[in-house]
Amino acid sequence: MGRLLVQLEGLRQEPSDAPAPDEPEVAPMDDAEREAAMALLTAPDLLQRITDDFDACGIVGETTNKLVGYLAATSRRLDAPLAVVVQSSSAAGKSSLMDAVLAMMPEEERVKYSAMTGQSLFYMGETNLKHKILAIVEEEGANRASYALKLLQSEGELTIASTGSDPQAGHLVTKQYRVEGPVMMFLTTTAIDIDEELMNRCLILTVNEGREQTRAIHRLQREKRTLQGLIRKENKQRILTLHRNAQRLLRPLAVVNPYADQLTFLDDRTRTRRDHEKYLTLIDTIALLHQYQRPIKTLSAGGQTLSYIEVTLEDIATANRLANEVLGRSLDELPPQTRRVLEALHGMVEYEAKANAIPRQEVRFARSDVRRVCSLSDTQCRIHVDRLIAMEYILVHRGARGQSFEYELLYDGKGGNGAPFVPGLIDVHRLKDESTSTTEGSRGEGTEVAGASRSHHGVNAGSSRTLPSAATQGGATLASSGSDSDTPTRLYRSALSAPSYLHPTPSLAAAALGEA
């Protein structure tokens, strides 16, 4: 019985010897399909074509999220792919966004699970995930495998020593199992607080939860029941096939960035060491996607011939625009949902101060006011208010009845223009000028190397209650909305008649900036 028990224990811990499921069969591309896919990859407005095709497939709004998700999935061809976590409230559309991106990727290059056990990744086969997309519907379903996921993203491979039985001798032996990367990870979550170690490894995308976006989704849902919706459904499969074929034509080329030594990035905290790598990988991915629009160069090194393409200034400009939106949100000390509550409270306090002709420091509000203004449930209200108190954006005062509490908003709205950004990114126009001066200076003697004494474009992030009042991004200056004290009042007044301000949309933020 003892020998039988040892034998059964070994069998239980061994991975199954059953053959792995067959890879999805790939239908060969005919000449017409190849020509259409090549026309897409060589289109001068390729990125705009991608967002338009998402719209045609029924994914409204979320322009930045769709494009970043598509680029992140394309980065599976690189040696260090990006990882994405889509964060939103329940039913906001995070799964729809992930499914839309995955649908445009080849079936044989994506793996999707609802949940994973703690050891499942270690036994997936040595090359089953290499240069593929690993999608997990809910991050909570992968809690037990979180360590393996983080390790696979950071190290690019997994190894485990496991006990198994020797089929010949019958005694237990140690076996090593290895899973090769790299792998692009795609996760969704409803959690407001994301694990810090996971967050600094991934790009965090948040779904627009505003009223205008909800109305657009409702219109699309109604359209699906019409004749136009039937036509859209028929065209959707053609668009998905086109993008899958285009993705199959992409080759895993090396990417060289001739401007890399002139780029700048925020360096006021250690986590930006990983965010900087995400930024550089985003640039590489944009260049890789445009590989059929660039000359392919070759280099002999170590007795081998390497093929590569080079990054252009347009790639950097596009990456700066996306990084300001995505990494700017990731580097924010507040989650996006809490940031929206803070902006709504700022508008409310400014309006009440003007309406009652009192200093804004004397405006008091209760939790019921937060629930009313932000359309939150009591549980959500407590979570966001407690976080704002802990981060010293809100000050607690004892209420008049002894047991209640009143709150004072300490946040003064500086830098709260609704447009996230990453301080420290170099202006592409300046980068072009420096590159030109470097080329001209290299022809003479004693010329200072361009960029050697560049001043840092960052800002002092020492205050937890005040955001940067201005930052440079892509040649434009983001002025603080606090420069016009009427702006919060106008926003809050518009919120009273149109509650869409409670979940600001890009168009509303742009309008407010224009007025300011």
Side-chain angles (χ1 to χ4, degrees):
M1 290 297 294
R3 288 195 299 271
L4 178 60
L5 178 62
V6 171
Q7 183 74 9
L8 292 177
E9 286 287 347
L11 291 175
R12 185 179 67 174
Q13 296 185 30
E14 279 188 341
S16 174
D17 293 332
D22 296 334
E23 294 283 347
E25 293 186 4
V26 182
M29 276 187 285
D30 56 32
D31 294 338
E33 291 176 332
R34 181 178 293 273
E35 183 178 348
M38 191 62 70
L40 174 64
L41 292 174
T42 56
D45 58 341
L46 174 57
L47 298 181
Q48 184 61 46
R49 285 277 303 274
I50 292 172
T51 56
D52 291 343
D53 286 345
F54 272 112
D55 294 337
C57 289
I59 306 298
V60 296
E62 308 290 355
T63 302
T64 299
N65 288 343
K66 292 183 295 191
L67 186 55
V68 171
Y70 191 96
L71 290 171
T74 304
S75 71
R76 71 190 185 279
R77 299 286 191 187
L78 299 174
D79 292 335
L82 295 167
V84 168
V85 173
V86 184
Q87 177 193 36
S88 73
S89 303
S90 179
K94 59 187 181 303
S95 297
S96 299
L97 175 62
M98 182 178 74
D99 291 341
V101 173
L102 293 178
M104 290 192 174
M105 300 296 125
E107 299 93 329
E108 69 275 10
E109 297 187 21
R110 63 177 192 252
V111 180
K112 183 179 178 182
Y113 296 112
S114 299
M116 300 190 74
T117 61
Q119 300 294 316
S120 58
L121 269 177
F122 292 98
Y123 302 119
M124 291 200 68
E126 189 167 353
T127 60
N128 284 0
L129 292 178
K130 191 171 184 179
H131 292 295
K132 292 186 180 180
I133 302 170
L134 175 61
I136 303 176
V137 177
E138 287 290 343
E139 183 264 339
E140 290 81 357
N143 278 339
R144 287 179 291 176
S146 60
Y147 171 74
L149 288 172
K150 297 170 190 174
L151 197 62
L152 183 60
Q153 176 65 17
S154 298
E155 304 296 330
E157 66 175 6
L158 291 175
T159 55
I160 186 174
S162 178
T163 303
S165 63
D166 189 334
Q168 303 297 330
H171 58 268
L172 297 179
V173 294
T174 299
K175 295 183 179 180
Q176 178 175 307
Y177 300 94
R178 183 170 181 264
V179 178
E180 288 187 18
V183 59
M184 184 270 162
M185 292 196 305
F186 211 139
L187 308 165
T188 65
T189 182
T190 56
I192 296 177
D193 293 315
I194 304 177
D195 177 57
E196 182 67 23
E197 292 189 16
L198 180 63
M199 187 170 67
N200 61 33
R201 287 174 167 87
C202 304
L203 296 176
I204 309 299
L205 305 182
T206 57
V207 176
N208 183 0
E209 301 179 22
R211 172 170 287 192
E212 291 300 323
Q213 177 70 3
T214 303
R215 288 173 178 168
I217 293 174
H218 287 173
R219 285 194 298 268
L220 184 65
Q221 290 171 340
R222 291 190 290 266
E223 185 189 88
K224 289 181 179 179
R225 272 70 178 178
T226 65
L227 181 60
Q228 183 65 30
L230 182 61
I231 297 174
R232 183 192 293 270
K233 182 179 179 180
E234 293 300 318
N235 290 333
K236 178 179 179 180
Q237 190 57 45
R238 177 185 58 81
I239 294 173
L240 295 181
T241 302
L242 172 65
H243 281 272
R244 291 169 186 169
N245 290 335
Q247 287 288 324
R248 292 185 180 109
L249 292 179
L250 291 178
R251 293 172 290 173
L253 296 173
V255 180
V256 174
N257 190 342
Y259 308 98
D261 59 344
Q262 302 175 47
L263 298 177
T264 56
F265 199 81
L266 190 69
D267 57 4
D268 65 337
R269 63 194 97 169
T270 55
R271 66 155 293 171
T272 60
R273 300 175 185 180
R274 280 182 171 156
D275 289 306
H276 182 237
E277 188 64 33
K278 299 175 197 173
Y279 169 60
L280 296 176
T281 304
L282 186 60
I283 297 175
D284 293 345
T285 306
I286 296 172
L288 183 70
L289 184 61
H290 291 84
Q291 62 181 249
Y292 287 99
Q293 304 180 29
R294 311 283 165 78
I296 298 179
K297 302 182 179 181
T298 57
L299 172 69
S300 296
Q304 296 182 348
T305 301
L306 303 178
S307 300
Y308 67 94
I309 57 175
E310 290 189 344
V311 170
T312 65
L313 290 174
E314 289 76 13
D315 299 336
I316 298 175
T318 302
N320 284 356
R321 175 172 58 84
L322 296 175
N324 281 317
E325 177 70 19
V326 179
L327 290 180
R329 185 184 299 122
S330 300
L331 291 171
D332 192 352
E333 61 187 359
L334 293 177
Q337 296 93 328
T338 306
R339 174 64 62 185
R340 284 193 289 268
V341 172
L342 179 62
E343 292 170 352
L345 291 178
H346 174 59
M348 179 190 71
V349 169
E350 290 292 322
Y351 177 80
E352 295 294 336
K354 285 184 175 295
N356 297 293
I358 59 175
R360 65 188 309 279
Q361 293 81 4
E362 296 182 11
V363 176
R364 300 289 185 269
F365 57 90
R367 288 184 188 268
S368 59
D369 298 316
V370 181
R371 292 197 300 270
R372 174 179 57 85
V373 171
C374 303
S375 300
L376 297 174
S377 66
D378 181 65
T379 301
Q380 291 176 322
C381 177
R382 288 179 180 274
I383 292 174
H384 296 305
V385 170
D386 290 345
R387 180 179 288 107
L388 291 173
I389 293 172
M391 300 296 292
E392 299 182 354
Y393 286 88
I394 289 179
L395 182 63
V396 182
H397 294 275
R398 178 69 64 177
R401 295 187 296 275
Q403 298 299 320
S404 63
F405 293 95
E406 293 181 342
Y407 303 98
E408 173 191 346
L409 185 66
L410 299 179
Y411 172 66
D412 58 5
K414 290 183 179 179
N417 50 31
F421 61 91
V422 179
L425 298 186
I426 191 169
D427 182 3
V428 173
H429 298 291
R430 177 185 172 191
L431 183 62
K432 184 176 181 180
D433 294 340
E434 288 189 356
S435 178
T436 303
S437 62
T438 302
T439 304
E440 294 176 352
S442 63
R443 300 170 184 169
E445 295 182 359
T447 304
E448 182 181 0
V449 177
S453 58
R454 287 190 307 272
S455 60
H456 182 59
H457 280 207
V459 294
N460 184 6
S463 174
S464 63
R465 295 188 297 269
T466 303
L467 294 178
S469 60
T472 302
Q473 58 171 348
T477 300
L478 291 179
S480 167
S481 62
S483 60
D484 184 352
S485 59
D486 292 336
T487 300
T489 303
R490 287 198 299 273
L491 290 175
Y492 179 64
R493 188 181 294 115
S494 66
L496 299 179
S497 58
S500 60
Y501 166 64
L502 302 180
H503 306 284
T505 60
S507 58
L508 181 59
L513 281 175
E515 293 180 8

